[in-house]
Amino acid sequence: MSEAKIDEKKILLSGIQPSGNLHIGHLTGAIKNWVDLQDNYNCFFTIVDLHAITVKQEPTQLRKWTLDLAAMFIACGISPEKCTLFIQSHVTEHAQLAWILNCFTGMGECSRMTQFKDKSQQHSENINVGLFAYPVLMAADILLYQADLVPVGEDQKQHLELTRNLAQRFNFLYSDTFKVPEPYIPPVGARIMSLQEPTKKMSKSDENQKATIFLTDSDKEIINKIKRAVTDSGSEIKFSPEKPGISNLMTLLALATGKSFSQIEDEFKGVGYGEFKSEVATSVAKWINPIRTKFIEIRANDKHLKEILLNGADSARRQASKTLRKVFKKIGFVQL
Ligand code: TRP
């Protein structure tokens, strides 16, 4: 693709924490959206390891999760040729700009953040300054790339609002420097619920391992988990709020096969739960199998994966350092 073509496209940036194994809900939520966006935007996707250490991390685990996440993105269809995929700590400009932005952020602004309040409760033994300044680092991630758009979930909207405020504040004090980013609200995808408590969202940190389908689960594990999924009373296969268990399985089947809910209802008229679950189980296993196979293949070639990440970091750094140089100059740092 020519440079000019890339430049015409709007810049989109998103980040994800390497804080656990990816499950099927990530695929149908964030990742699928990102895959769809990569053709129409100049996309930067970053694995935010600096953010991850605001809570306690085990080093071996953190390293593994970071590489797993990169490999899984590629396995799911994120193309390193189309977008810039990189690890946050590889581009030191993030920490540098975050420090500067810290000096323009009020204590009150950070202490008002609801995620900070929630996380300080969850991790009351480790309320560190990094956790407090987390949203400022996120602002740096976004502003370094002059991003137009940031896909964010509901829980990150307040952080994006702070990012916009910081950009406007800096621009006002020092003349135009940062693009003020807009939130990108992705089209609502299907929500995948826990297999064991279908009124709760599927989560990577569910204590009950049978509740979550991980993208690295084998066919057999997937099949077993779905066969043991909680269903509802009655015997009809019908999409309805009164049938959260069956509705969740129907959602999975729809995603795996492309069939509509009414098609599924017709097809399974008079069929029992057991047979329906078997059908869902094999369809989902078939859907995830090629992703897992690709993931294993990418993960087995460590050298190639690291090359992709090195290239990603190089190209991210080119953009980030441009912005940081401008900032240094404006605030009065000596340039040699
Ligand atoms: N805070 C985000 C989350 O937990 C992750 C993140 C870090 C991010 N930097 C970002 C998201 C920049 C979007 C843009 O989900």
Side-chain angles (χ1 to χ4, degrees):
M1 201 184 301
S2 73
E3 283 280 329
K5 192 88 194 247
I6 291 173
D7 287 341
E8 282 164 26
K9 291 183 179 172
K10 287 203 169 182
I11 299 170
L12 183 143
L13 179 137
S14 200
I16 187 162
Q17 290 204 44
S19 56
N21 291 322
L22 289 173
H23 60 71
I24 208 162
H26 290 116
L27 174 63
T28 59
I31 306 178
K32 190 179 168 302
N33 272 321
W34 292 9
V35 173
D36 293 342
L37 291 165
Q38 62 183 346
D39 289 316
N40 298 324
Y41 296 93
N42 182 9
C43 292
F44 291 85
F45 297 126
T46 178
I47 301 173
V48 294
D49 50 356
L50 298 175
H51 279 106
I53 61 162
T54 55
V55 300
K56 212 163 153 208
Q57 298 288 344
E58 205 279 299
T60 316
Q61 185 79 271
L62 178 62
R63 195 171 295 119
K64 176 180 179 298
W65 278 341
T66 304
L67 292 171
D68 279 356
L69 197 53
M72 195 53 94
F73 281 162
I74 301 167
C76 291
I78 301 274
S79 157
E81 269 111 57
K82 289 186 192 162
C83 52
T84 305
L85 174 66
F86 66 101
I87 296 174
Q88 186 189 29
S89 66
H90 290 176
V91 181
T92 51
E93 281 79 357
H94 289 246
Q96 291 174 286
L97 181 61
W99 174 258
I100 292 168
L101 294 177
N102 275 332
C103 302
F104 293 87
T105 309
M107 295 286 285
E109 286 182 296
C110 280
S111 45
R112 273 198 296 279
M113 294 289 135
T114 50
Q115 190 170 69
F116 172 67
K117 292 188 217 167
D118 291 348
K119 285 201 180 169
S120 341
Q121 259 172 15
Q122 277 166 32
H123 306 275
S124 54
E125 75 304 332
N126 179 23
I127 306 176
N128 61 75
V129 177
L131 190 64
F132 187 68
Y134 177 114
V136 184
L137 176 59
M138 178 164 158
D141 297 343
I142 296 165
L143 299 180
L144 275 175
Y145 299 92
Q146 308 290 350
D148 297 282
L149 291 170
V150 183
V152 280
E154 207 43 57
D155 63 326
Q156 297 298 313
K157 275 204 185 136
Q158 202 184 21
H159 292 166
L160 191 63
E161 207 39 55
L162 175 70
T163 305
R164 288 168 53 84
N165 288 339
L166 290 176
Q168 279 160 345
R169 185 172 307 161
F170 196 95
N171 289 348
F172 176 75
L173 289 169
Y174 294 98
S175 80
D176 226 12
T177 310
F178 298 121
K179 173 76 74 47
V180 181
E182 302 281 340
Y184 174 88
I185 313 293
V188 271
R191 260 161 62 100
I192 310 281
M193 313 306 276
S194 154
L195 295 178
Q196 293 297 318
E197 276 176 82
T199 49
K200 234 178 59 184
K201 239 171 87 172
M202 187 177 278
S203 156
K204 63 186 169 196
S205 43
D206 204 307
E207 274 158 36
N208 188 343
Q209 289 284 305
K210 290 204 300 278
T212 308
I213 301 172
F214 291 101
L215 297 176
T216 44
D217 282 346
S218 68
D219 286 359
K220 209 168 144 211
E221 283 168 312
I222 294 175
I223 289 169
N224 281 334
K225 283 179 184 179
I226 294 179
K227 283 193 173 165
R228 294 200 184 107
V230 167
T231 47
D232 318 291
S233 56
S235 61
E236 222 184 336
I237 310 299
K238 189 166 159 252
F239 194 89
S240 133
E242 280 122 61
K243 292 190 156 239
I246 290 297
S247 298
N248 192 35
L249 293 177
M250 283 178 68
T251 302
L252 286 171
L253 187 60
L255 288 163
T257 60
K259 287 179 187 164
S260 70
F261 291 147
S262 60
Q263 262 174 313
I264 294 170
E265 284 171 356
D266 285 347
E267 191 179 325
F268 290 92
K269 226 169 232 143
V271 174
Y273 281 171
E275 201 179 316
F276 172 64
K277 283 211 258 184
S278 295
E279 190 65 31
V280 178
T282 41
S283 298
V284 173
K286 225 195 246 169
W287 171 34
I288 299 306
N289 181 298
I291 294 175
R292 183 181 61 251
T293 308
K294 186 101 196 281
F295 168 79
I296 293 169
E297 187 188 304
I298 298 165
R299 206 60 179 85
N301 192 343
D302 199 47
K303 190 161 158 267
H304 183 60
L305 179 59
K306 288 187 173 159
E307 229 168 65
I308 290 174
L309 292 167
L310 207 64
N311 284 335
D314 281 346
S315 103
R317 198 176 301 112
R318 265 195 299 281
Q319 176 58 46
S321 62
K322 237 194 265 174
T323 303
L324 191 67
R325 261 199 310 277
K326 251 201 241 174
V327 170
F328 277 11
K329 194 164 160 202
K330 293 200 183 191
I331 56 181
F333 288 175
V334 173
Q335 317 248 284
L336 298 175

